[in-house]
């Protein structure tokens, strides 16, 4: 009854994990939810003020499809300062979150059968959108190289059909932050093999020292005309529900995006646009600084609790707000003991025995990892991670008595 297209995708793995956590809560269990891809925070005062002022002015009409021109100018200034290159408003589309920016990019760039290189573990929506747009995701393993793709591994996968590469740094789910050399190598490859770079820097505000986030167009200015920058305020301003982000790239792409967006959502929510414009015009970074500090404190607390894990290596958590646990050793021990155990079983055990909801690596194309979000309240994080650590160590005890 439904279109064949519906067989190409299913609900996102992270959304499914959240639903499972909520179902457990509804059945009366005391669950600590580490599945969320967002930071628990109040609104930034400037965002609140901007939104209320817009409502008081009766802002209720359509804006330009690509967003208010003042907002696009303000974003151009922001990107110019971040990349140390001049950007103009006609190179920017304001979108309903980064998800729409990515979807627009896939729809305007891909022909049927075009291949897109996606490092694994990947944020679950990247391959889903490529498939919906008629393309073919091609995956590159990264675990052996601290979750950053090796250039040689990328190069051998480029074929005449390869159209684009997705670069997501800081990375969801692994927390890896790509260094300058890796970015330069990828950009050079894209130039040599005529590829687009989809540069998702949604977590760019959360690189943890000594790691730093670098815009790829600053590292390799020659790659600018083949790069689409994807960003959003979902993470940097803790505004996931407001659905506001942007796509920045060559004017020809942005014009095509305008035509597409005019037939899908039209402009992003007008109140969110005015709120963001007000925030950008205020120029006060104190909210972002405070949010970053909170995330950094949560990271420190989390790493100190997770250091008690017997089998899983300490996650590097270079950026973003996720710990990505590598359960390979635990799963191998289970095999040695001839008991089948996969990472989904570990996630279920954590939910039932520890009362902690996490996301299985299978949602990210990885059969050995577990993602834990540390964007939640500190006290809950503390309790959740202690329970999780105890439960994983018990599992370790069952399967790896040699330790
Ligand atoms: N890109 C990455 C890597 C993400 O993790 C997410 C959300 O989790 C998005 C894009 C989408 O962000 P938004 O809420 O702005 O659509």
């Amino acid at each position: 009854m439904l279109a064949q297209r519906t067989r190409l995708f299913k609900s996102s793995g992270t959304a499914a994990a959240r639903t499972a956590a909520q179902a457990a809560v509804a059945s009366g269990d005391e669950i600590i939810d580490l599945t969320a891809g967002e930071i628990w925070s109040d609104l930034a005062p400037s965002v609140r003020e901007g939104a209320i002022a817009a409502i008081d002015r009766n802002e209720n009409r359509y804006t330009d499809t690509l967003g208010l021109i003042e907002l696009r100018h303000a974003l151009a200034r922001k990107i110019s300062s971040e990349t140390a290159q001049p950007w103009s408003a006609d190179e920017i589309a304001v979108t309903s979150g980064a998800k729409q920016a990515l979807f627009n990019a896939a729809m305007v760039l891909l022909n049927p059968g075009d291949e897109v290189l996606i490092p694994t573990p990947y944020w679950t929506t990247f391959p889903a959108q490529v498939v919906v747009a008629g393309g073919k995701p091609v995956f590159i393993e990264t675990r052996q190289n601290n979750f950053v793709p090796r250039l040689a591994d990328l190069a051998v996968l480029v074929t005449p059909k390869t159209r684009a590469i997705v670069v997501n740094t800081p990375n969801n789910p692994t927390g890896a932050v790509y260094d300058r050399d890796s970015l330069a190598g990828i950009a050079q490859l894209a130039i040599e093999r005529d590829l687009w770079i989809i540069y998702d820097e949604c977590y760019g505000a959360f690189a943890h020292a000594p790691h730093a986030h670098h815009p790829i167009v600053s590292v390799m200015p020659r790659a600018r005309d083949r790069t689409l920058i994807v960003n959003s305020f979902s993470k940097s301003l803790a505004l996931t529900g407001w659905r506001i982000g942007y796509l920045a790239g060559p004017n020809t792409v942005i014009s095509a995006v305008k035509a597409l967006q005019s037939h899908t959502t039209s402009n992003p929510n007008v109140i969110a646009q005015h709120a963001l414009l007000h925030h950008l015009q205020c120029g006060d970074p104190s909210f972002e600084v405070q949010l970053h500090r909170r995330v950094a404190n949560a990271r420190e607390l989390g790493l100190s609790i997770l250091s008690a894990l017997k089998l899983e290596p300490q996650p590097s958590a270079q950026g973003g707000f996720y710990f990505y646990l590598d359960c390979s050793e635990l799963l191998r021990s289970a095999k040695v003991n001839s008991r089948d155990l996969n990472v989904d079983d570990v996630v279920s055990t954590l939910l039932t025995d520890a009362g902690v909801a996490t996301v299985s690596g299978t949602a990210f194309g990885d059969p050995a990892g577990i993602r834990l979000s540390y964007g939640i309240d500190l006290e809950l994080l503390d309790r959740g991670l202690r329970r999780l650590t105890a439960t994983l160590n018990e599992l370790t005890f069952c399967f790896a008595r040699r330790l």
Side-chain angles (χ1 to χ4, degrees), residues 37 96-100 102 123 126 168 170-172 200 202-203 230-235 240 243-245 322 371:
S96 299
K99 229 174 218 181
Q100 187 182 26
L102 287 162
W123 179 52
F126 292 136
N168 170 215
N171 186 268
N172 176 12
D200 181 326
C202 286
Y203 296 86
V230 174
N231 207 337
S232 108
F233 297 90
S234 292
K235 321 289 172 176
T240 35
R243 313 307 305 132
I244 191 112
Y322 304 114
R371 190 190 80 174

Side-chain angles (χ1 to χ4, degrees), residues 27-198:
S27 71
D29 296 343
E30 201 256 57
I31 302 294
I32 294 179
D33 186 357
L34 304 183
T35 65
E38 59 191 348
I39 305 173
W40 287 19
S41 165
D42 289 338
L43 273 177
S46 51
V47 169
R48 172 191 290 273
E49 279 160 23
I52 291 172
I55 291 169
D56 285 344
R57 288 196 309 272
N58 282 307
E59 298 285 0
N60 60 351
R61 313 235 336 246
Y62 289 125
T63 69
D64 183 272
T65 299
L66 292 187
L68 294 160
I69 189 64
E70 300 86 341
L71 178 56
R72 292 169 69 202
H73 281 305
L75 289 170
R77 284 192 294 277
K78 170 186 181 286
I79 303 170
S80 302
S81 123
E82 287 169 355
T83 60
Q85 291 168 8
W87 286 76
S88 62
D90 63 0
E91 295 172 294
I92 293 156
V94 187
T95 55
S96 299
K99 229 174 218 181
Q100 187 182 26
L102 287 162
F103 189 64
N104 285 341
M107 292 298 279
V108 305
L109 291 187
L110 300 182
N111 286 311
D114 278 354
E115 295 173 0
V116 178
L117 301 175
I118 303 178
T120 51
Y122 48 73
W123 179 52
T124 173
T125 293
F126 292 136
Q129 291 189 342
V130 167
V131 168
V132 171
K136 183 176 165 226
V138 174
F139 300 112
I140 308 109
E141 236 334 297
T142 63
R143 173 169 267 115
Q144 304 310 327
N145 196 42
N146 297 322
F147 296 118
V148 175
R150 284 198 183 100
L151 208 53
D153 294 343
L154 280 174
V156 294
L157 290 174
V158 178
T159 74
K161 284 193 157 280
T162 311
R163 182 89 166 130
I165 171 162
V166 173
V167 180
N168 170 215
T169 178
N171 186 268
N172 176 12
T174 66
V177 174
Y178 289 39
D179 63 20
R180 292 184 73 92
D181 286 350
S182 306
L183 292 172
I186 292 170
Q188 186 60 37
L189 180 73
I191 292 168
E192 282 165 13
R193 307 300 295 269
D194 192 17
L195 310 179
W196 285 97
I197 302 168
I198 314 287

Side-chain angles (χ1 to χ4, degrees), residues 287-349:
F287 180 83
E288 283 100 322
V289 170
Q290 189 192 321
L291 202 62
H292 189 283
R293 195 173 307 132
R294 243 196 65 194
V295 166
N297 288 342
R299 174 180 179 274
E300 216 165 288
L301 170 78
L303 286 177
S304 79
I305 298 171
L306 293 175
S307 66
L309 281 170
K310 292 214 161 42
L311 214 49
E312 294 72 20
Q314 185 82 332
S316 61
Q318 298 170 347
F321 43 85
Y322 304 114
F323 297 125
Y324 197 65
L325 290 186
D326 182 354
C327 296
S328 309
E329 199 58 35
L330 175 63
L331 300 179
R332 248 194 308 275
S333 319
K335 279 263 178 307
V336 169
N337 287 275
S338 62
R339 285 265 299 277
D340 269 350
L341 183 77
N342 61 39
V343 78
D344 290 336
D345 298 328
V346 179
V347 165
S348 299
T349 304

